[in-house]
Amino acid sequence: MWRDLKPIGRNPDSGGYRRFAWTEADAECRTWFEEQARARGLAYEVDRNGNQWAWLGDPAAGDAVVTGSHLDSVPDGGAFDGPLGVVSSFAALDELRSRNVQFSKPLAIVNFGDEEGARFGLACVGSRLAAGELTVEQAHRLRDADGVSLPEAMEAAGFDPDAIGADPERLARIGAFVELHVEQGRVLDLSGDRVGIASAIWPHGRWRFDFRGEANHAGTTRLVDRRDPMLSYAETVLAARREAQLAGAVATFGKISVEPNGVNAIPSLVRGWLDSRAADQVTLDTVVTGIERAAREYADAHGIELDVVRESFTPVVEFDHALRDELARILGTDTDLKVPVLGTGAGHDAGILSGTIPTAMLFVRNPTGVSHSPAEYAAEDDCVAGVLALADVLEGLARR
Ligand code: HGY
Ligand code: MN
Ligand code: MN
Ligand code: MN
């Protein structure tokens, strides 16, 4: 199955992928998902939020065992983050059928839309909408860098933006959701294991720092006469590294927009987005407060106005302990190995849904730990180990 995958949205120059929500690449992914579902005789449907579902058995029976992930990507992203979970779900179903497993519960494979939030700036839109964590009004206010709103993008892709909303009935029919994902770190590489089980997702959020100064001529304005917001931004990026280093957390300014963005113009506005994450809430609050304090001190000293807006936030997710232990039992029994349990700083749909249904995650070894980059990688035999582990887990859960 791995070999006939089309590199949808791949940039031949960088080798990275660009599969943003409600774009042509997204439509190609959706077509692929539907083809895979129908080729297996699964009942295919798209829910009110555009998430795709492939069912084996009658969903109305309830207590469904669901697996899947997402197919969208960050800009110039890797081949595994998201797709590995969806492809492995179809491959695990094939494996279970080859074992003639009879399911006592409905089984489903899901592709959650817009998990990365790369186009509209908010991660996990499809699962947040389904879980009622994102209101219709909030979703309709989302705009991309070209000013296209989420409703306009959905409509252009043939979906009804007025149909979106919480989907409690659908989620109530799910007994367990297990997301397989490439590890975005090196814990498994260092432990020498192919597969691991997630314990928790770190609390994390996104803050927008708006630095306003005074546009002026780059060539004629004396340094003493300038109110250059770029300097405050630069100082804030360095402060972010200092604060995160001190706290053993992470903080990243990975996205910036500058107005008027001319080589020979001192900016009037520099807008920087901070992504910060830490193992616990207190640490995260300490880091972000420290960054904001440093930014304000520098901005005040240089006549720069600063606005800080928290754009999104996900509290710590402790995965369902009973489900996590059930996975460890199933996997440990088969392989007589202690399957490592590891935390992650990466957000996932499984994290969003964990507030509503029992969820768990399986990680597949990533030898470099690199992710959100064309260099993201998982060896084929580790991917196969992930499929077999997922098949074991689905078989064990569907038989409970
Ligand atoms: O940003 C994240 O942690 C995830 O990849 N969306
Ligand atoms: Mn990701
Ligand atoms: Mn992902
Ligand atoms: Mn995810």
Side-chain angles (χ1 to χ4, degrees):
M1 178 170 183
W2 311 103
R3 294 182 186 82
D4 62 8
L5 292 176
K6 279 172 43 185
I8 296 172
R10 188 170 184 275
N11 173 338
D13 300 330
S14 69
Y17 291 81
R18 186 185 183 89
R19 297 188 300 270
F20 287 5
W22 312 114
T23 61
E24 186 44 46
D26 184 58
E28 278 188 74
C29 289
R30 291 171 175 279
T31 303
W32 173 84
F33 182 96
E34 181 175 359
E35 286 166 353
Q36 294 298 317
R38 296 196 187 286
R40 290 171 176 77
L42 302 175
Y44 170 74
E45 60 167 347
V46 184
D47 69 21
R48 61 188 308 187
N49 298 304
N51 304 310
Q52 294 178 289
W53 299 76
W55 287 92
L56 181 68
D58 174 9
D63 199 22
V65 176
V66 178
T67 185
S69 188
H70 62 95
L71 292 173
D72 67 310
S73 75
V74 296
D76 215 33
F80 296 83
D81 174 353
L84 181 65
V86 179
V87 172
S88 300
S89 298
F90 283 114
L93 177 63
D94 296 345
E95 167 67 17
L96 290 172
R97 278 173 159 168
S98 71
R99 296 180 193 173
N100 288 320
V101 170
Q102 300 308 311
F103 297 98
S104 60
K105 301 172 182 173
L107 195 74
I109 296 171
V110 60
N111 164 32
F112 282 110
D114 199 4
E115 191 271 352
E116 294 292 3
R119 181 175 177 185
F120 297 100
L122 178 68
C124 301
V125 172
S127 51
R128 284 185 202 271
L129 281 168
E133 262 213 35
L134 179 67
T135 67
V136 177
E137 296 69 33
Q138 289 167 328
H140 279 196
R141 282 202 297 270
L142 293 173
R143 285 189 183 289
D144 70 10
D146 300 324
V148 177
S149 72
L150 176 65
E152 289 161 343
M154 287 186 76
E155 219 146 29
F159 287 82
D160 175 8
D162 294 325
I164 65 173
D167 214 344
E169 300 77 36
R170 176 180 297 277
L171 297 186
R173 295 201 298 257
I174 299 173
F177 172 60
V178 181
E179 180 173 2
L180 180 143
H181 205 283
V182 65
E183 190 194 345
Q184 293 161 306
R186 289 191 58 212
V187 170
L188 293 176
D189 179 54
L190 297 173
S191 71
D193 295 284
R194 294 184 189 281
V195 177
I197 299 171
S199 56
I201 294 178
W202 285 14
H204 58 283
R206 299 180 182 188
W207 289 261
R208 200 188 72 232
F209 283 62
D210 292 352
F211 299 94
R212 294 182 196 289
E214 181 182 53
N216 212 326
H217 194 299
T220 58
T221 312
R222 297 184 313 159
L223 297 188
V224 287
D225 297 332
R226 294 183 182 206
R227 285 198 302 114
D228 182 351
M230 189 64 84
L231 296 176
S232 298
Y233 169 74
E235 174 55 33
T236 303
V237 173
L238 294 173
R241 170 53 67 96
R242 283 195 304 272
E243 294 293 338
Q245 201 104 41
L246 275 173
V250 288
T252 314
F253 276 94
K255 178 178 172 181
I256 179 175
S257 82
V258 182
E259 290 175 14
N261 208 26
V263 174
N264 57 354
I266 300 166
S268 55
L269 169 67
V270 174
R271 189 161 267 173
W273 280 265
L274 167 69
D275 176 315
S276 190
R277 314 187 190 200
D280 61 78
Q281 187 64 51
V282 171
T283 305
L284 181 59
D285 292 344
T286 306
V287 170
V288 176
T289 304
I291 295 169
E292 185 169 347
R293 184 185 312 114
R296 283 205 187 286
E297 278 167 12
Y298 196 88
D300 291 349
H302 293 79
I304 301 297
E305 284 166 47
L306 170 61
D307 280 315
V308 181
V309 177
R310 188 177 82 171
E311 290 197 336
S312 70
F313 178 72
T314 306
V316 63
V317 165
E318 282 281 338
F319 285 107
D320 181 278
H321 285 196
L323 185 57
R324 185 195 65 197
D325 294 349
E326 177 72 0
L327 263 61
R329 186 193 60 74
I330 293 168
L331 295 178
T333 314
D334 293 5
T335 59
D336 291 333
L337 287 177
K338 189 140 174 40
V339 180
V341 178
L342 54 147
T344 178
H348 298 282
D349 296 308
I352 298 297
L353 295 173
S354 68
T356 316
I357 54 178
T359 66
M361 289 194 75
L362 289 177
F363 290 125
V364 170
R365 176 165 54 184
N366 171 344
T368 65
V370 170
S371 182
H372 286 186
S373 152
E376 188 180 83
Y377 175 71
E380 183 163 336
D381 48 4
D382 286 347
C383 294
V384 171
V387 168
L388 295 176
L390 182 59
D392 290 349
V393 161
L394 297 177
E395 182 176 359
L397 295 179
R399 276 194 170 145
R400 278 189 309 183

